[in-house]
Amino acid sequence: EVELVESGGGLVQPGRSLRLSCVASGINFHAYAMHWVRHAPGRGLEWVSGINRNSGSMGYADSVKGRFTISRDNAKSSLYLEMNSLRLEDTASYYCAKETGAYFYGSQSHGMDVWGRGTTVIVSS
Amino acid sequence: QSVLTQPPSASGTPGQRVTISCSGSRPNIGLNVVSWFLHVPGAAPKLLIYGTSQRPSGVPDRFSGSKSGTSASLAISGLQSEDEADYYCATWDDSLNGWVFGGGTKVTVL
């Protein structure tokens, strides 16, 4: 069974950092691009970041560019999101999602077909 | 304000057909394929449609997707009570260089 399990969420003060992790099982993790998507209270889904299968290309939403860093370790079937300079508006459930193919962008990207249950980040003083 | 525009709500009685629209522009829907997701807050989102009109295995054929120009739509036929959820369209945006989601449509089964 394909499964993605996120961890690392919690309560953090504005300006501090947090690192999210996502461990995959039941898939050839190295073959697929991956995404982070978040859902803030009272708002819709928002794409945060994506990374190609070999870490050759990464992308970020403008709202997190320069503050968040996505990375992966294919040997550990793991995806990460390093979040720095956290803001109140970063409060959300963060989901790890598998891309249908090797690329997270453009016409070669068809969507996120497997999702984790999410980890919650609360930024508050 | 979302890049992709969806109606905030839609409803129908059991067995009815409901259609959800998703309006975008050339850099997103106009040039790329569209995905549709079902999300019950607190649970993992679920892919319903990818590649504009393809259903993943396990998704009933009651769900169908289409696109015309810069707009896409999701149709749910034979509406069931378990279809109550938030539905989102999404696609890659060549100008923003990122994925964009619609604001979501809450479907209610009356």
Side-chain angles (χ1 to χ4, degrees), chain A residues 5-33:
Chain A
V5 180
E6 303 93 337
S7 62
L11 175 63
V12 62
Q13 293 179 326
R16 304 298 291 264
S17 300
L18 209 57
R19 188 194 199 207
L20 305 184
S21 299
C22 169
V23 178
S25 58
I27 61 170
N28 292 324
F29 182 76
H30 65 274
Y32 300 100

PDB file of all heavy atoms in Angstrom, chain A residues 5-33:
ATOM      1  N   VAL A   5       3.710   9.761   5.089  1.00  0.00           N
ATOM      2  CA  VAL A   5       3.488  10.155   6.477  1.00  0.00           C
ATOM      3  C   VAL A   5       4.337  11.373   6.801  1.00  0.00           C
ATOM      4  O   VAL A   5       5.575  11.300   6.774  1.00  0.00           O
ATOM      5  CB  VAL A   5       3.809   9.010   7.448  1.00  0.00           C
ATOM      6  CG1 VAL A   5       3.575   9.466   8.891  1.00  0.00           C
ATOM      7  CG2 VAL A   5       2.969   7.774   7.137  1.00  0.00           C
ATOM      8  N   GLU A   6       3.664  12.470   7.101  1.00  0.00           N
ATOM      9  CA  GLU A   6       4.352  13.702   7.444  1.00  0.00           C
ATOM     10  C   GLU A   6       4.594  13.788   8.954  1.00  0.00           C
ATOM     11  O   GLU A   6       3.845  13.201   9.747  1.00  0.00           O
ATOM     12  CB  GLU A   6       3.526  14.932   7.027  1.00  0.00           C
ATOM     13  CG  GLU A   6       3.154  15.005   5.569  1.00  0.00           C
ATOM     14  CD  GLU A   6       1.807  14.403   5.249  1.00  0.00           C
ATOM     15  OE1 GLU A   6       1.345  13.554   6.042  1.00  0.00           O
ATOM     16  OE2 GLU A   6       1.197  14.762   4.233  1.00  0.00           O
ATOM     17  N   SER A   7       5.607  14.552   9.314  1.00  0.00           N
ATOM     18  CA  SER A   7       5.893  14.815  10.722  1.00  0.00           C
ATOM     19  C   SER A   7       6.652  16.126  10.827  1.00  0.00           C
ATOM     20  O   SER A   7       7.092  16.688   9.822  1.00  0.00           O
ATOM     21  CB  SER A   7       6.713  13.677  11.333  1.00  0.00           C
ATOM     22  OG  SER A   7       7.961  13.558  10.674  1.00  0.00           O
ATOM     23  N   GLY A   8       6.789  16.605  12.060  1.00  0.00           N
ATOM     24  CA  GLY A   8       7.595  17.792  12.282  1.00  0.00           C
ATOM     25  C   GLY A   8       6.814  19.062  12.577  1.00  0.00           C
ATOM     26  O   GLY A   8       7.409  20.090  12.904  1.00  0.00           O
ATOM     27  N   GLY A   9       5.499  18.992  12.455  1.00  0.00           N
ATOM     28  CA  GLY A   9       4.697  20.170  12.738  1.00  0.00           C
ATOM     29  C   GLY A   9       4.683  20.494  14.219  1.00  0.00           C
ATOM     30  O   GLY A   9       5.138  19.709  15.055  1.00  0.00           O
ATOM     31  N   GLY A  10       4.163  21.670  14.534  1.00  0.00           N
ATOM     32  CA  GLY A  10       4.073  22.060  15.930  1.00  0.00           C
ATOM     33  C   GLY A  10       3.796  23.535  16.075  1.00  0.00           C
ATOM     34  O   GLY A  10       3.521  24.233  15.096  1.00  0.00           O
ATOM     35  N   LEU A  11       3.903  24.002  17.326  1.00  0.00           N
ATOM     36  CA  LEU A  11       3.690  25.408  17.647  1.00  0.00           C
ATOM     37  C   LEU A  11       5.040  26.119  17.652  1.00  0.00           C
ATOM     38  O   LEU A  11       5.982  25.668  18.329  1.00  0.00           O
ATOM     39  CB  LEU A  11       3.030  25.530  19.012  1.00  0.00           C
ATOM     40  CG  LEU A  11       2.831  26.936  19.580  1.00  0.00           C
ATOM     41  CD1 LEU A  11       1.903  27.750  18.693  1.00  0.00           C
ATOM     42  CD2 LEU A  11       2.272  26.855  21.006  1.00  0.00           C
ATOM     43  N   VAL A  12       5.131  27.209  16.925  1.00  0.00           N
ATOM     44  CA  VAL A  12       6.406  27.917  16.804  1.00  0.00           C
ATOM     45  C   VAL A  12       6.139  29.414  16.790  1.00  0.00           C
ATOM     46  O   VAL A  12       5.083  29.872  16.318  1.00  0.00           O
ATOM     47  CB  VAL A  12       7.162  27.466  15.527  1.00  0.00           C
ATOM     48  CG1 VAL A  12       6.357  27.792  14.280  1.00  0.00           C
ATOM     49  CG2 VAL A  12       8.554  28.052  15.473  1.00  0.00           C
ATOM     50  N   GLN A  13       7.072  30.175  17.322  1.00  0.00           N
ATOM     51  CA  GLN A  13       6.927  31.629  17.351  1.00  0.00           C
ATOM     52  C   GLN A  13       7.260  32.251  16.000  1.00  0.00           C
ATOM     53  O   GLN A  13       8.076  31.695  15.235  1.00  0.00           O
ATOM     54  CB  GLN A  13       7.842  32.224  18.420  1.00  0.00           C
ATOM     55  CG  GLN A  13       7.444  31.860  19.846  1.00  0.00           C
ATOM     56  CD  GLN A  13       8.395  32.460  20.858  1.00  0.00           C
ATOM     57  OE1 GLN A  13       9.595  32.583  20.612  1.00  0.00           O
ATOM     58  NE2 GLN A  13       7.864  32.837  22.018  1.00  0.00           N
ATOM     59  N   PRO A  14       6.687  33.388  15.704  1.00  0.00           N
ATOM     60  CA  PRO A  14       7.035  34.087  14.460  1.00  0.00           C
ATOM     61  C   PRO A  14       8.542  34.340  14.385  1.00  0.00           C
ATOM     62  O   PRO A  14       9.181  34.668  15.400  1.00  0.00           O
ATOM     63  CB  PRO A  14       6.256  35.401  14.562  1.00  0.00           C
ATOM     64  CG  PRO A  14       5.108  35.094  15.453  1.00  0.00           C
ATOM     65  CD  PRO A  14       5.628  34.105  16.451  1.00  0.00           C
ATOM     66  N   GLY A  15       9.076  34.156  13.192  1.00  0.00           N
ATOM     67  CA  GLY A  15      10.497  34.376  12.978  1.00  0.00           C
ATOM     68  C   GLY A  15      11.353  33.150  13.206  1.00  0.00           C
ATOM     69  O   GLY A  15      12.529  33.136  12.796  1.00  0.00           O
ATOM     70  N   ARG A  16      10.799  32.126  13.844  1.00  0.00           N
ATOM     71  CA  ARG A  16      11.571  30.909  14.102  1.00  0.00           C
ATOM     72  C   ARG A  16      11.499  29.946  12.938  1.00  0.00           C
ATOM     73  O   ARG A  16      10.870  30.231  11.903  1.00  0.00           O
ATOM     74  CB  ARG A  16      11.061  30.244  15.397  1.00  0.00           C
ATOM     75  CG  ARG A  16      11.083  31.139  16.608  1.00  0.00           C
ATOM     76  CD  ARG A  16      12.486  31.583  16.959  1.00  0.00           C
ATOM     77  NE  ARG A  16      13.323  30.507  17.468  1.00  0.00           N
ATOM     78  CZ  ARG A  16      13.508  30.267  18.758  1.00  0.00           C
ATOM     79  NH1 ARG A  16      12.893  30.988  19.669  1.00  0.00           N
ATOM     80  NH2 ARG A  16      14.304  29.284  19.142  1.00  0.00           N
ATOM     81  N   SER A  17      12.136  28.797  13.101  1.00  0.00           N
ATOM     82  CA  SER A  17      12.231  27.804  12.025  1.00  0.00           C
ATOM     83  C   SER A  17      11.617  26.476  12.424  1.00  0.00           C
ATOM     84  O   SER A  17      11.465  26.191  13.620  1.00  0.00           O
ATOM     85  CB  SER A  17      13.707  27.585  11.655  1.00  0.00           C
ATOM     86  OG  SER A  17      14.303  28.785  11.206  1.00  0.00           O
ATOM     87  N   LEU A  18      11.300  25.692  11.406  1.00  0.00           N
ATOM     88  CA  LEU A  18      10.734  24.362  11.616  1.00  0.00           C
ATOM     89  C   LEU A  18      11.088  23.515  10.408  1.00  0.00           C
ATOM     90  O   LEU A  18      11.179  24.033   9.290  1.00  0.00           O
ATOM     91  CB  LEU A  18       9.217  24.469  11.764  1.00  0.00           C
ATOM     92  CG  LEU A  18       8.457  23.453  12.615  1.00  0.00           C
ATOM     93  CD1 LEU A  18       8.996  23.424  14.049  1.00  0.00           C
ATOM     94  CD2 LEU A  18       6.978  23.797  12.619  1.00  0.00           C
ATOM     95  N   ARG A  19      11.304  22.230  10.615  1.00  0.00           N
ATOM     96  CA  ARG A  19      11.605  21.337   9.505  1.00  0.00           C
ATOM     97  C   ARG A  19      10.562  20.229   9.452  1.00  0.00           C
ATOM     98  O   ARG A  19      10.406  19.466  10.412  1.00  0.00           O
ATOM     99  CB  ARG A  19      12.996  20.717   9.650  1.00  0.00           C
ATOM    100  CG  ARG A  19      13.436  19.931   8.419  1.00  0.00           C
ATOM    101  CD  ARG A  19      14.635  19.072   8.703  1.00  0.00           C
ATOM    102  NE  ARG A  19      15.338  18.657   7.497  1.00  0.00           N
ATOM    103  CZ  ARG A  19      16.064  17.551   7.394  1.00  0.00           C
ATOM    104  NH1 ARG A  19      16.162  16.733   8.426  1.00  0.00           N
ATOM    105  NH2 ARG A  19      16.679  17.261   6.273  1.00  0.00           N
ATOM    106  N   LEU A  20       9.877  20.137   8.325  1.00  0.00           N
ATOM    107  CA  LEU A  20       8.902  19.078   8.119  1.00  0.00           C
ATOM    108  C   LEU A  20       9.542  17.918   7.374  1.00  0.00           C
ATOM    109  O   LEU A  20      10.420  18.126   6.532  1.00  0.00           O
ATOM    110  CB  LEU A  20       7.703  19.595   7.322  1.00  0.00           C
ATOM    111  CG  LEU A  20       6.972  20.819   7.876  1.00  0.00           C
ATOM    112  CD1 LEU A  20       5.755  21.127   7.005  1.00  0.00           C
ATOM    113  CD2 LEU A  20       6.576  20.620   9.319  1.00  0.00           C
ATOM    114  N   SER A  21       9.084  16.722   7.674  1.00  0.00           N
ATOM    115  CA  SER A  21       9.553  15.525   6.992  1.00  0.00           C
ATOM    116  C   SER A  21       8.362  14.733   6.466  1.00  0.00           C
ATOM    117  O   SER A  21       7.259  14.824   6.995  1.00  0.00           O
ATOM    118  CB  SER A  21      10.356  14.634   7.945  1.00  0.00           C
ATOM    119  OG  SER A  21      11.488  15.303   8.436  1.00  0.00           O
ATOM    120  N   CYS A  22       8.623  13.953   5.436  1.00  0.00           N
ATOM    121  CA  CYS A  22       7.599  13.079   4.860  1.00  0.00           C
ATOM    122  C   CYS A  22       8.297  11.797   4.440  1.00  0.00           C
ATOM    123  O   CYS A  22       9.240  11.838   3.648  1.00  0.00           O
ATOM    124  CB  CYS A  22       6.942  13.757   3.666  1.00  0.00           C
ATOM    125  SG  CYS A  22       5.888  12.682   2.668  1.00  0.00           S
ATOM    126  N   VAL A  23       7.831  10.686   4.963  1.00  0.00           N
ATOM    127  CA  VAL A  23       8.412   9.393   4.609  1.00  0.00           C
ATOM    128  C   VAL A  23       7.421   8.624   3.740  1.00  0.00           C
ATOM    129  O   VAL A  23       6.240   8.517   4.080  1.00  0.00           O
ATOM    130  CB  VAL A  23       8.757   8.572   5.873  1.00  0.00           C
ATOM    131  CG1 VAL A  23       9.306   7.202   5.474  1.00  0.00           C
ATOM    132  CG2 VAL A  23       9.769   9.319   6.725  1.00  0.00           C
ATOM    133  N   ALA A  24       7.927   8.107   2.624  1.00  0.00           N
ATOM    134  CA  ALA A  24       7.084   7.365   1.684  1.00  0.00           C
ATOM    135  C   ALA A  24       7.333   5.870   1.807  1.00  0.00           C
ATOM    136  O   ALA A  24       8.457   5.425   2.071  1.00  0.00           O
ATOM    137  CB  ALA A  24       7.385   7.822   0.265  1.00  0.00           C
ATOM    138  N   SER A  25       6.282   5.103   1.604  1.00  0.00           N
ATOM    139  CA  SER A  25       6.415   3.653   1.560  1.00  0.00           C
ATOM    140  C   SER A  25       5.478   3.114   0.490  1.00  0.00           C
ATOM    141  O   SER A  25       4.464   3.740   0.158  1.00  0.00           O
ATOM    142  CB  SER A  25       6.080   3.031   2.923  1.00  0.00           C
ATOM    143  OG  SER A  25       4.777   3.366   3.327  1.00  0.00           O
ATOM    144  N   GLY A  26       5.838   1.971  -0.062  1.00  0.00           N
ATOM    145  CA  GLY A  26       5.003   1.343  -1.074  1.00  0.00           C
ATOM    146  C   GLY A  26       5.168   1.895  -2.474  1.00  0.00           C
ATOM    147  O   GLY A  26       4.398   1.537  -3.368  1.00  0.00           O
ATOM    148  N   ILE A  27       6.140   2.785  -2.685  1.00  0.00           N
ATOM    149  CA  ILE A  27       6.380   3.339  -4.020  1.00  0.00           C
ATOM    150  C   ILE A  27       7.877   3.385  -4.302  1.00  0.00           C
ATOM    151  O   ILE A  27       8.690   3.355  -3.369  1.00  0.00           O
ATOM    152  CB  ILE A  27       5.820   4.770  -4.183  1.00  0.00           C
ATOM    153  CG1 ILE A  27       6.486   5.735  -3.178  1.00  0.00           C
ATOM    154  CG2 ILE A  27       4.322   4.793  -4.064  1.00  0.00           C
ATOM    155  CD1 ILE A  27       6.169   7.187  -3.423  1.00  0.00           C
ATOM    156  N   ASN A  28       8.240   3.465  -5.585  1.00  0.00           N
ATOM    157  CA  ASN A  28       9.629   3.737  -5.971  1.00  0.00           C
ATOM    158  C   ASN A  28       9.837   5.239  -5.858  1.00  0.00           C
ATOM    159  O   ASN A  28       9.737   5.984  -6.824  1.00  0.00           O
ATOM    160  CB  ASN A  28       9.889   3.263  -7.397  1.00  0.00           C
ATOM    161  CG  ASN A  28       9.851   1.760  -7.506  1.00  0.00           C
ATOM    162  OD1 ASN A  28      10.275   1.047  -6.599  1.00  0.00           O
ATOM    163  ND2 ASN A  28       9.342   1.257  -8.618  1.00  0.00           N
ATOM    164  N   PHE A  29      10.140   5.673  -4.648  1.00  0.00           N
ATOM    165  CA  PHE A  29      10.182   7.105  -4.330  1.00  0.00           C
ATOM    166  C   PHE A  29      11.055   7.872  -5.309  1.00  0.00           C
ATOM    167  O   PHE A  29      10.708   8.975  -5.738  1.00  0.00           O
ATOM    168  CB  PHE A  29      10.687   7.288  -2.893  1.00  0.00           C
ATOM    169  CG  PHE A  29      10.733   8.702  -2.425  1.00  0.00           C
ATOM    170  CD1 PHE A  29       9.574   9.367  -2.059  1.00  0.00           C
ATOM    171  CD2 PHE A  29      11.945   9.379  -2.312  1.00  0.00           C
ATOM    172  CE1 PHE A  29       9.609  10.681  -1.608  1.00  0.00           C
ATOM    173  CE2 PHE A  29      11.992  10.678  -1.865  1.00  0.00           C
ATOM    174  CZ  PHE A  29      10.821  11.337  -1.508  1.00  0.00           C
ATOM    175  N   HIS A  30      12.188   7.298  -5.700  1.00  0.00           N
ATOM    176  CA  HIS A  30      13.159   8.006  -6.534  1.00  0.00           C
ATOM    177  C   HIS A  30      12.614   8.293  -7.937  1.00  0.00           C
ATOM    178  O   HIS A  30      13.193   9.089  -8.672  1.00  0.00           O
ATOM    179  CB  HIS A  30      14.429   7.168  -6.679  1.00  0.00           C
ATOM    180  CG  HIS A  30      14.208   5.881  -7.412  1.00  0.00           C
ATOM    181  ND1 HIS A  30      13.786   4.731  -6.797  1.00  0.00           N
ATOM    182  CD2 HIS A  30      14.329   5.565  -8.730  1.00  0.00           C
ATOM    183  CE1 HIS A  30      13.673   3.753  -7.689  1.00  0.00           C
ATOM    184  NE2 HIS A  30      13.988   4.242  -8.868  1.00  0.00           N
ATOM    185  N   ALA A  31      11.508   7.665  -8.323  1.00  0.00           N
ATOM    186  CA  ALA A  31      10.989   7.816  -9.682  1.00  0.00           C
ATOM    187  C   ALA A  31      10.040   8.997  -9.834  1.00  0.00           C
ATOM    188  O   ALA A  31       9.670   9.345 -10.963  1.00  0.00           O
ATOM    189  CB  ALA A  31      10.274   6.539 -10.099  1.00  0.00           C
ATOM    190  N   TYR A  32       9.655   9.594  -8.743  1.00  0.00           N
ATOM    191  CA  TYR A  32       8.597  10.590  -8.796  1.00  0.00           C
ATOM    192  C   TYR A  32       9.004  11.943  -8.228  1.00  0.00           C
ATOM    193  O   TYR A  32       9.737  12.033  -7.231  1.00  0.00           O
ATOM    194  CB  TYR A  32       7.374  10.101  -8.029  1.00  0.00           C
ATOM    195  CG  TYR A  32       6.800   8.824  -8.583  1.00  0.00           C
ATOM    196  CD1 TYR A  32       7.087   7.597  -7.990  1.00  0.00           C
ATOM    197  CD2 TYR A  32       6.011   8.832  -9.724  1.00  0.00           C
ATOM    198  CE1 TYR A  32       6.582   6.415  -8.500  1.00  0.00           C
ATOM    199  CE2 TYR A  32       5.499   7.654 -10.248  1.00  0.00           C
ATOM    200  CZ  TYR A  32       5.788   6.457  -9.631  1.00  0.00           C
ATOM    201  OH  TYR A  32       5.295   5.291 -10.155  1.00  0.00           O
ATOM    202  N   ALA A  33       8.471  12.993  -8.841  1.00  0.00           N
ATOM    203  CA  ALA A  33       8.567  14.317  -8.246  1.00  0.00           C
ATOM    204  C   ALA A  33       7.635  14.373  -7.031  1.00  0.00           C
ATOM    205  O   ALA A  33       6.733  13.547  -6.890  1.00  0.00           O
ATOM    206  CB  ALA A  33       8.167  15.386  -9.268  1.00  0.00           C
TER     207      ALA A  33
END
